Amino acid sequence: HKRQEGLNVNDFLWGGATASYQCEGGWQEGGRVESMWDVYLHENHLENGDVASDHYHRFREDIRMMKEGGQNSYRFSLAWPRIIKNREGEVNQEGVDFYNRLIDACLEYGITPMVTIFHWDLPQYLEEKGGWLNRDTCVAYTHYAKVCFERFGDRVKLWATFNEPRYYTNSGYLIGNYPPGHQDIQETVTASYYMMLASAMAVEAFRTGGYDGQIGIVHSFSPVYTTDTSVESAIARRFADNFYNNWILDTAAIGEIPGDLLGELKKTCDLSMMTPEDLAVIRRNRVDYLGLNYYARVMVKPYESGETTLIVNNQGKKAKGTSQTIIKGWFEQVRPESSRYTEWDTEIFPEGLYEGIQQVWNKYHLPIYITENGIGLYEDTSVNQVEDDDRIEFMDMHIAAVLKAKEGGCDVRGYYAWSPFDLYSWKNGTEKRYGLVAIDYENGLERRPKKSYYWYKDVIETDGKHITGK
């Protein structure tokens, strides 16, 4: 295998990010076993990732196109169901071989791999035993992480334990729009805790094993804003910041779950699974860096009335304006009418990225990577080149925010576009497109660079000097 030579952490990483289930396909190939997403989408007769972007067969083409587009880093995730065959922890060599080829292709093209160990595709054999509601999954995850460190650590120097544990647990156990499709606050708290414990256990395994490089966590980052400066709004902001951010970032970076959050949860939830021994594991195993996935801020006001309500728009223009968040007794989300929104109700607010980076840097003083940033659009990809000016405008504003924060003294080390090519977008299927390269799903999955692909290449080659921020 090719070794990763000379990764200089002072070099800014300009890359693209994907997730295994969303791009690989090949769901029954190479010894891969079923994931919870395979079962959930098949049983509910929903559009799935059986083929997705066919990255499993076309990764060399995709990585070559990243290189030709100026990118010097690729953030991708490993599929647990490809690497570990069963509950006994047996390693699937075919899966290991696939990722060895992928990593070697990155290095061949001068692209630094940033590897996420878990990006939501839990093996179904673990989901059947309770998934993240079962502490045994933490043990299984740590074994899986060690296999990854051992097999790929000679070439991979940037690791992330988890992608977006907050979004994963909220969607799967609180909102119920992702598998396992539950709506239970106790399960949400239990799964969130066990994911953060598993992250700390993997960090400990990484340190104990003496592997070279850095290990962090990737968080779905939503900086919190309020409508006014009243005491009531400040309290609502703290509730929201705990709900959206602190549960992950404090636990990973400081080693402590926020005490006021625990106090609130204890009123309605059983926290007996949080043993002193496990809390000590969390306390002593802090991450080396923080990955922030930024799509939008959240604006809140004090809670007024109504039951806890969480509605996410997975239907785009058919359901525009339906998104709603109320956490009973804590806060209500506000959607400013003056703001611009995507068809999926995501507010476009680049200032939140600039101010959010400052907040995270000033609080934790850990290196920051913007591990995802992008915009989902409806696009006709049958044309020779998609003229995605809306994406260019979005990326320009957000890259400007990143560079402004970096110039202001924040230790920001990379920016990853979600995504380098079109892929399957969870419950939104393939009509919600994020890619810099169009994939024609109707015509043999042909790849065609969009206007934004060439624009991003120019940004990278000039170190962002052509960014306008407008």
Side-chain angles (χ1 to χ4, degrees):
H1 302 303
K2 297 176 185 299
R3 294 186 65 83
Q4 172 73 357
E5 300 295 347
L7 169 60
N8 183 348
V9 292
N10 295 318
D11 292 340
F12 196 78
L13 296 180
W14 295 99
T18 66
S20 50
Y21 185 79
Q22 293 181 261
C23 70
E24 284 180 5
W27 77 288
Q28 289 182 304
E29 295 184 58
R32 180 186 180 276
V33 297
E34 282 189 316
S35 77
M36 66 190 300
W37 276 94
D38 295 315
V39 173
Y40 173 82
L41 295 170
H42 291 157
E43 287 183 349
N44 289 286
H45 307 292
L46 296 166
E47 186 177 349
N48 57 55
D50 290 2
V51 177
S53 312
D54 199 30
H55 190 59
Y56 184 72
H57 297 109
R58 298 169 182 249
F59 67 88
R60 285 193 65 86
E61 178 185 3
D62 292 330
I63 291 168
R64 173 181 55 77
M65 291 179 82
M66 288 181 221
K67 174 65 173 178
E68 290 172 356
Q71 295 165 50
N72 62 12
S73 187
Y74 179 28
R75 175 181 170 244
F76 60 91
S77 75
L78 306 171
W80 192 342
R82 246 188 230 297
I83 293 176
I84 306 294
K85 294 181 186 181
N86 48 38
R87 281 194 289 273
E88 291 68 47
E90 193 179 346
V91 175
N92 172 32
Q93 189 57 42
E94 282 186 272
V96 170
D97 291 344
F98 166 69
Y99 289 115
N100 275 328
R101 291 194 297 273
L102 194 156
I103 292 164
D104 286 350
C106 286
L107 301 185
E108 184 182 324
Y109 284 107
I111 286 178
T112 296
M114 174 185 265
V115 175
T116 308
I117 300 169
F118 180 76
H119 195 133
W120 302 3
D121 44 357
L122 187 74
Q124 179 64 17
Y125 59 73
L126 289 174
E127 182 56 36
E128 287 168 358
K129 293 293 185 180
W132 290 107
L133 303 176
N134 185 343
R135 191 186 180 284
D136 290 348
T137 300
C138 301
V139 178
Y141 170 81
T142 307
H143 165 69
Y144 159 54
K146 284 181 185 174
V147 169
C148 296
F149 301 148
E150 199 59 43
R151 305 299 177 95
F152 313 124
D154 59 328
R155 288 152 293 145
V156 174
K157 305 303 176 189
L158 281 173
W159 296 93
T161 56
F162 284 90
N163 177 78
E164 299 187 344
R166 192 270 300 177
Y167 203 92
Y168 176 91
T169 53
N170 278 6
S171 300
Y173 297 97
L174 192 60
I175 302 170
N177 65 325
Y178 285 6
H182 299 177
Q183 294 178 313
D184 186 301
I185 182 65
Q186 177 67 55
E187 288 190 356
T188 306
V189 171
T190 300
S192 300
Y193 170 69
Y194 280 142
M195 288 185 89
M196 295 311 296
L197 173 60
S199 178
M201 289 166 69
V203 171
E204 186 157 79
F206 186 77
R207 305 247 195 277
T208 305
Y211 300 100
D212 185 29
Q214 295 187 318
I215 188 163
I217 195 167
V218 170
H219 170 55
S220 46
F221 181 50
S222 299
V224 180
Y225 290 70
T226 53
T227 53
D228 59 48
T229 56
S230 67
V231 170
E232 291 76 15
S233 290
I235 293 168
R237 183 185 187 281
R238 175 64 185 181
F239 275 130
D241 209 15
N242 279 340
F243 176 81
Y244 284 103
N245 301 308
N246 299 336
W247 175 255
I248 305 301
L249 296 179
D250 280 17
T251 308
I254 300 172
E256 289 187 13
I257 303 166
D260 58 338
L261 175 61
L262 292 175
E264 283 295 317
L265 293 176
K266 198 167 184 180
K267 295 175 183 176
T268 54
C269 296
D270 176 9
L271 305 184
S272 61
M273 70 285 191
M274 299 184 185
T275 65
E277 295 81 8
D278 284 348
L279 289 170
V281 172
I282 289 172
R283 194 171 302 116
R284 68 175 178 260
N285 291 292
R286 305 171 194 182
V287 293
D288 295 317
Y289 73 85
L290 295 169
L292 304 178
N293 292 354
Y294 180 85
Y295 293 94
R297 67 169 173 179
V298 61
M299 180 173 274
V300 301
K301 66 179 182 180
Y303 170 79
E304 292 174 4
S305 63
E307 294 302 310
T308 292
T309 306
L310 294 134
I311 301 170
V312 174
N313 179 2
N314 286 130
Q315 297 178 291
K317 56 190 174 188
K318 294 191 287 289
K320 192 163 184 180
T322 60
S323 296
Q324 187 180 19
T325 300
I326 301 171
I327 304 296
K328 188 174 182 178
W330 286 14
F331 66 89
E332 298 182 25
Q333 185 175 1
V334 178
R335 295 186 176 274
E337 288 185 16
S338 58
S339 291
R340 291 170 59 196
Y341 296 86
T342 72
E343 298 281 19
W344 286 265
D345 293 340
T346 302
E347 184 185 11
I348 299 173
F349 192 76
E351 298 94 327
L353 181 53
Y354 169 64
E355 292 167 2
I357 290 170
Q358 289 183 308
Q359 290 168 15
V360 171
W361 170 247
N362 289 331
K363 185 174 184 181
Y364 303 109
H365 287 285
L366 286 175
I368 295 166
Y369 293 88
I370 304 307
T371 34
E372 287 181 26
N373 178 242
I375 184 170
L377 300 169
Y378 288 103
E379 292 172 335
D380 174 9
T381 56
S382 65
V383 297
N384 284 332
Q385 182 176 293
V386 175
E387 302 289 313
D388 53 343
D389 292 319
D390 286 350
R391 177 168 294 107
I392 291 170
E393 181 190 20
F394 181 94
M395 290 179 68
D396 183 281
M397 293 188 295
H398 287 80
I399 291 172
V402 173
L403 296 178
K404 185 179 176 184
K406 189 176 185 327
E407 288 158 10
C410 302
D411 186 5
V412 191
R413 299 187 180 181
Y415 172 90
Y416 292 82
W418 183 272
S419 52
F421 48 84
D422 287 337
L423 32 71
Y424 168 80
S425 186
W426 303 114
K427 290 284 285 287
N428 303 290
T430 49
E431 69 174 0
K432 186 181 188 183
R433 292 177 179 266
Y434 280 96
L436 303 174
V437 171
I439 292 185
D440 191 339
Y441 294 104
E442 306 302 316
N443 291 291
L445 301 164
E446 184 184 343
R447 273 82 163 137
R448 287 191 290 272
K450 302 177 189 178
K451 186 177 179 180
S452 58
Y453 170 90
Y454 298 106
W455 174 87
Y456 190 40
K457 179 182 182 182
D458 184 59
V459 168
I460 296 166
E461 288 177 348
T462 59
D463 276 331
K465 289 185 176 62
H466 294 176
I467 290 290
T468 67
K470 296 175 183 174

